């Protein structure tokens, strides 16, 4: 009986440690990164319409107890009288048996610079504030394991030093786009804030992302009267500390329907001897209703973690774009050229 109790405690401890390390080794990421544009890169603020709001939910490895759950909300607006754009973003994620939670609120400013009649470049800056918390009463320490009683008070001196962590966080980004392609990069955690729950130091590594995509128009049926559709391939490479990953795939748009197929991993890289860096295959499905767009995706793990993550990962997105009021006069260049990564109805992406 005591042996079974000890085994359960050890398993609980290892699971908690794995969640702690995973949460701090890398930021949460979305498979539908095109439906979370401000989370991907602050330079996407104000790049489409007047008002845009996005809501994202991800349940990572859903079959595991206390799995990673991430929520994000963003809103952005392009100022009609200038080339300036503003946005706000809120994200929170929860993981582990000790309810490790990280919540971030950020403000974004970007500026649209025309390079010519069809090409735009947008630099951006983001400042945020992050709060990290944990239920320390659910942690199990070495002396509790030694006595086989996880409910006994711990005498570990680090217990008195445990505390929640709050810090400022800075990021920036840049995109270049026309109405047929886009590319850019983003830097998050430029100041590499200290995220330690103890009195020591544990710096959060900078997250660097490179991403891009394009629209390939298609026409089904006769050239003049055919139905317009498109294939939108894109990629997203990110690196944070020792972690790196490439998302590569495409979305196919047909009227109000979207279907997507994605690969996650770096097939030419080995993360361990004789082990290819494969992570997951993902499929996505979406519908567009007027100015509201819904998306769902499912990740099927193909790495060595497959058996432990048999439930896969589920993700839901909702993007809404609203026109505040009709702007007088001709359509400005700023309104005319919108980048392709936004999860928008295909008919809004006219060349």
């Amino acid at each position: 009986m005591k042996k079974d109790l000890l085994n359960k405690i050890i398993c609980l401890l290892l699971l908690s440690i794995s969640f702690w390390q995973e949460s701090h080794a890398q930021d949460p990421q979305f498979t539908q990164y095109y439906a979370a544009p401000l989370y991907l890169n602050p330079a996407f603020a104000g790049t489409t319409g007047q008002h845009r709001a996005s809501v994202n939910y991800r349940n990572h490895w859903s079959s595991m107890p206390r799995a990673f759950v991430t929520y994000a909300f963003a809103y952005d607006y392009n100022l009609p009288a200038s080339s300036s754009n503003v946005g706000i973003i809120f994200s929170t994620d929860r993981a582990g048996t000790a309810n490790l939670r990280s919540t971030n609120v950020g403000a974004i400013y970007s500026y649209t610079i025309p390079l010519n009649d069809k090409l735009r470049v947008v630099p951006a800056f983001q400042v945020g504030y992050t709060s990290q918390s944990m239920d320390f009463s659910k942690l199990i320490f070495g002396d509790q394991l030694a006595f086989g009683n996880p409910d006994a008070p711990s005498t570990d001196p680090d217990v008195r030093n445990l505390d929640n962590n709050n810090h400022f966080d800075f990021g920036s980004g840049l995109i270049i786009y026309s109405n047929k392609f886009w590319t850019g990069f983003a830097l998050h955690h430029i100041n590499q804030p200290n995220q330690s729950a103890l009195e020591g130091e544990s710096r959060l590594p900078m997250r660097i992302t490179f991403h891009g995509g394009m629209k390939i128009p298609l026409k089904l049926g006769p050239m003049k009267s055919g139905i317009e559709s498109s294939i939108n391939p894109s990629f997203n490479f990110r690196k944070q500390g020792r972690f790196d990953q490439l998302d590569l795939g495409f979305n196919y748009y047909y009227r109000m329907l979207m279907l997507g197929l994605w690969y996650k991993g770096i097939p030419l890289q080995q993360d361990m001897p004789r082990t290819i860096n494969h992570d997951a295959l993902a499929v996505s499905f979406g519908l567009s209703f007027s100015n509201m767009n819904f998306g769902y995706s499912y990740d099927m793990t193909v790495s060595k973690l497959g058996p432990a993550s048999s439930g896969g990962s589920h993700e839901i997105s909702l993007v809404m774009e609203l026109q505040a009021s009709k702007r007088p006069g001709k359509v400005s260049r700023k309104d005319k050229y919108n980048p392709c990564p936004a999860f928008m109805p295909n008919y809004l992406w006219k060349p």
Side-chain angles (χ1 to χ4, degrees):
M1 188 70 179
K2 290 184 177 180
K3 184 177 180 180
D4 292 339
L5 176 61
L6 182 60
N7 288 336
K8 291 180 180 179
I9 293 173
I10 293 175
C11 290
L12 182 64
L13 176 65
L14 292 176
L15 184 61
S16 297
I17 292 175
S18 66
F19 275 125
W20 177 274
Q21 291 178 339
E22 180 71 16
S23 297
H24 284 69
Q26 64 187 81
D27 293 341
Q29 294 296 315
F30 292 104
T31 294
Q32 300 175 58
Y33 54 83
Y34 48 85
L38 270 64
Y39 189 87
L40 174 66
N41 189 334
F44 284 120
T47 52
T48 178
Q50 287 194 48
H51 296 273
R52 175 176 54 186
S54 62
V55 181
N56 307 89
Y57 164 82
R58 180 175 177 83
N59 190 339
H60 193 64
W61 298 344
S62 58
S63 64
M64 297 184 68
R66 301 289 185 176
F68 302 94
V69 178
T70 304
Y71 303 87
F73 168 80
Y75 165 81
D76 61 297
Y77 175 67
N78 68 68
L79 302 174
S82 70
S83 296
S84 296
N85 315 291
V86 293
I88 58 173
I89 183 168
F90 169 86
S91 63
T92 182
D93 64 275
R94 185 192 71 244
T97 57
N99 290 324
L100 173 64
R101 183 182 294 273
S102 179
T103 301
N104 177 270
V105 179
I108 297 170
Y109 173 80
S110 66
Y111 189 83
T112 304
I113 303 172
L115 298 181
N116 54 42
D117 288 343
K118 295 184 178 181
L119 201 60
R120 301 290 182 270
V121 59
V122 183
F125 179 75
Q126 177 176 335
V127 57
Y129 187 77
T130 299
S131 174
Q132 293 176 318
S133 62
M134 177 183 288
D135 186 351
F136 298 112
S137 66
K138 294 184 179 180
L139 295 178
I140 300 175
F141 295 84
D143 56 346
Q144 294 172 300
L145 289 175
F147 291 108
N149 184 7
D151 297 323
S154 173
T155 59
D156 193 316
D158 284 335
V159 175
R160 296 188 298 271
N161 297 326
L162 290 171
D163 196 7
N164 295 325
N165 181 281
N166 303 302
H167 55 260
F168 284 98
D169 203 342
F170 300 96
S172 65
L174 182 142
I175 59 169
I176 300 175
Y177 70 91
S178 70
N179 59 343
K180 291 186 178 181
F181 84 96
W182 59 277
T183 186
F185 69 91
L187 305 175
H188 291 87
H189 318 306
I190 294 177
N191 56 324
Q192 299 187 48
N194 182 20
Q195 37 143 31
S196 176
L198 298 170
E199 293 182 343
E201 186 174 281
S202 176
R203 294 289 173 179
L204 180 61
M206 185 186 303
R207 171 162 55 97
I208 305 171
T209 61
F210 295 92
H211 31 262
M214 63 185 301
K215 172 190 173 183
I216 303 175
L218 303 173
K219 183 160 285 192
L220 305 178
M223 292 299 295
K224 293 185 177 180
S225 60
I227 299 173
E228 290 188 3
S229 62
S230 69
I231 294 178
N232 296 58
S234 65
F235 73 93
N236 178 30
F237 173 80
R238 58 187 180 272
K239 182 175 180 60
Q240 187 171 17
R242 294 180 295 176
F243 170 85
D244 52 11
Q245 182 172 298
L246 173 67
D247 292 1
L248 184 65
F250 66 91
N251 286 335
Y252 171 69
Y253 293 85
Y254 176 78
R255 291 187 172 178
M256 63 182 295
L257 178 67
M258 183 276 287
L259 298 173
L261 181 63
W262 301 87
Y263 165 79
K264 295 183 168 188
I266 303 180
L268 301 180
Q269 175 179 301
Q270 293 186 351
D271 51 7
M272 290 185 294
R274 298 183 298 277
T275 302
I276 303 299
N277 183 1
H278 295 310
D279 181 23
L281 294 175
V283 292
S284 57
F285 167 80
L287 291 172
S288 298
F289 303 97
S290 183
N291 293 326
M292 182 174 66
N293 308 279
F294 168 83
Y296 168 80
S297 63
Y298 174 77
D299 292 16
M300 179 180 65
T301 304
V302 295
S303 68
K304 295 295 183 180
L305 291 174
S309 57
S310 57
S313 302
H314 303 270
E315 192 173 302
I316 297 173
S317 67
L318 184 66
V319 180
M320 294 167 286
E321 185 180 353
L322 302 175
Q323 194 78 8
S325 60
K326 187 175 182 181
R327 299 179 181 179
K330 296 182 179 180
V331 176
S332 68
R333 290 177 176 179
K334 180 181 176 182
D335 293 331
K336 184 178 179 180
Y337 297 107
N338 295 326
C340 296
F343 183 36
M344 296 168 56
N346 190 61
Y347 61 82
L348 294 179
W349 293 357
K350 293 182 180 180

